[in-house]
Amino acid sequence: MLRRILFACLLGVYSLSAWAIAPYISGDRVQAGELSAVAAEVEKKLTAAGFQVLALYTPKFLPTHGVLVVTDADMLNKIREFGGATIVAAPIRVGITKEGVVSYTNPDYWYRAFLRQHFAKAEPVARAVQSRLAKALGAGPGFGGDESAADLPDYRYIVGMERFDDEKNLLGTHVDFATAVQTVQDNLAKGLAGVTKAYEIVMPDKKLAVFGVAMSSPANGDAVILGKIDVQDRIAGLPYEIFVLNNEVHAFYARYRLALAFPDLGMKNFMRIVFVPEEVRTTLKTVAGGN
């Protein structure tokens, strides 16, 4: 009888863990070398698999790491269909290092979080994206923590913290979509508040846009945040994004966005960057312009 009880308990533990989804997947290593050479090798694999490469993002003060940002045409079509804040699901991020380490954002994790109630309708496309990434880059173990499929659409780190659609996300408003996009583009080109463009995806017909932003401040820039909480191996969690919905400019509040990217970190880690959420919001409001 005792054996049966223990066996049942083990099955229960396995069953629960089977529903856990990690934010990142380890890819196959490539030859070490200059970051540009590593990027070129990985880019070739991604292009052959049908992905469109948008940019190589390298955090200032962390020259050994980078992120190739790519998109998938079928998922872009789904995002056009869904509209709204689903635009943040458009980029797929692939982390690389000079040592040849490759990792990428787990589509199952990020699409559930960003597409939310639309995920079920997009799931066949999401599965296809995941399969092609696995074939192109390899599919090693997931890492970076885990969250349940049920929790991701309405994720928050702990009770009382911000979620996907928090009112703090709104950074500014403009007279129309074109002005909002132009303002963000101009301010990123100027490097206002130490922020520059990593990538952009604009859908004028749907009045949607998303910009990857490289924050390079020596006080609260990308590399500083990664270093303080020691998550350089999860470089694919960045870059941060600003997104435009009609005439409004938004960015996820950092207590949601960073917790979603690094869900396994304890409160002790996040206390090292306790001032970052408001600092990031203030910085990105400058980039957003408007009222």
Side-chain angles (χ1 to χ4, degrees), residues 75 197 201 242:
M75 185 54 74
K197 184 178 77 173
I201 301 169
I242 286 180

Side-chain angles (χ1 to χ4, degrees), residues 8 132 153 170 205 278:
R132 285 164 47 223
L170 180 61
D205 55 325
E278 274 303 309

Side-chain angles (χ1 to χ4, degrees), residues 28 39 42 80 86 89 95 115 122 132 134 137 140 158 160 195 202 240 256:
D28 296 334
V42 176
R80 288 179 186 277
T86 64
L115 297 179
R132 285 164 47 223
L137 303 177
I158 57 174
V195 183
V202 182
Y240 218 90
Y256 166 79

Side-chain angles (χ1 to χ4, degrees), residues 25-28 45 102 104 130-140:
I25 296 175
S26 303
D28 296 334
K45 294 181 177 184
V102 177
Y104 53 93
Q130 187 143 1
S131 176
R132 285 164 47 223
L133 284 170
K135 288 179 182 176
L137 303 177

Side-chain angles (χ1 to χ4, degrees), residues 5-288:
I5 292 172
L6 289 173
F7 184 64
C9 289
L10 286 171
L11 282 179
V13 169
Y14 177 79
S15 190
L16 287 172
S17 66
W19 288 99
I21 306 171
Y24 308 102
I25 296 175
S26 303
D28 296 334
R29 277 181 173 262
V30 298
Q31 185 174 350
E34 292 300 318
L35 195 64
S36 58
V38 173
E41 185 173 349
V42 176
E43 181 175 340
K44 187 185 299 183
K45 294 181 177 184
L46 290 164
T47 302
F51 296 102
Q52 179 188 358
V53 178
L54 298 180
L56 170 62
Y57 153 76
T58 305
K60 192 174 182 180
F61 309 121
L62 191 61
T64 56
H65 291 62
V67 180
L68 279 164
V69 182
V70 305
T71 61
D72 174 72
D74 290 337
M75 185 54 74
L76 289 179
N77 287 336
K78 284 296 179 184
I79 289 167
R80 288 179 186 277
E81 177 185 336
F82 303 146
T86 64
I87 186 64
V88 296
I92 301 162
R93 301 183 300 275
V94 179
I96 58 173
T97 74
K98 291 179 71 173
E99 288 72 35
V101 176
V102 177
S103 61
Y104 53 93
T105 48
N106 184 350
D108 196 30
Y109 182 96
W110 292 87
Y111 287 149
R112 286 180 188 274
F114 284 170
L115 297 179
R116 308 179 77 207
Q117 72 272 22
H118 301 292
F119 177 77
K121 194 171 182 180
E123 189 166 6
V125 174
R127 297 298 179 206
V129 168
Q130 187 143 1
S131 176
R132 285 164 47 223
L133 284 170
K135 288 179 182 176
L137 303 177
F143 68 98
D146 54 61
E147 293 295 328
S148 72
D151 287 345
L152 282 169
D154 206 26
Y155 175 82
R156 64 178 175 186
Y157 183 67
I158 57 174
V159 174
M161 281 193 166
E162 292 75 14
R163 289 189 167 106
F164 180 94
D165 53 1
D166 196 89
E167 61 183 12
K168 293 179 183 176
N169 294 349
L170 180 61
L171 301 178
T173 59
H174 295 269
V175 294
D176 54 28
F177 174 75
T179 304
V181 168
Q182 191 64 57
T183 299
V184 173
Q185 288 174 330
D186 290 348
N187 288 340
L188 290 174
K190 294 173 187 174
L192 211 61
V195 183
T196 55
K197 184 178 77 173
Y199 68 83
E200 72 173 62
I201 301 169
V202 182
M203 298 180 178
D205 55 325
K206 297 297 181 180
K207 296 184 179 179
L208 301 174
V210 61
F211 299 85
V213 293
M215 296 184 286
S216 57
S217 164
N220 60 7
D222 296 335
V224 177
I225 292 171
L226 293 175
K228 283 185 176 180
I229 56 179
D230 195 23
V231 289
Q232 294 92 330
D233 62 323
R234 280 155 270 186
I235 183 67
L238 295 177
Y240 218 90
E241 56 278 308
I242 286 180
F243 52 104
V244 181
L245 310 177
N246 199 353
N247 66 325
E248 297 179 346
V249 184
H250 298 252
F252 293 125
Y253 196 67
R255 280 198 295 252
Y256 166 79
R257 177 59 172 81
L258 295 179
L260 181 69
F262 314 119
D264 62 329
L265 296 188
M267 189 57 71
K268 182 179 178 181
N269 297 83
F270 284 123
M271 286 302 293
R272 297 173 190 163
I273 55 171
V274 66
F275 299 112
V276 162
E278 274 303 309
E279 291 172 349
V280 168
R281 187 167 190 261
T282 299
T283 297
L284 296 184
K285 280 184 77 172
T286 302
V287 175

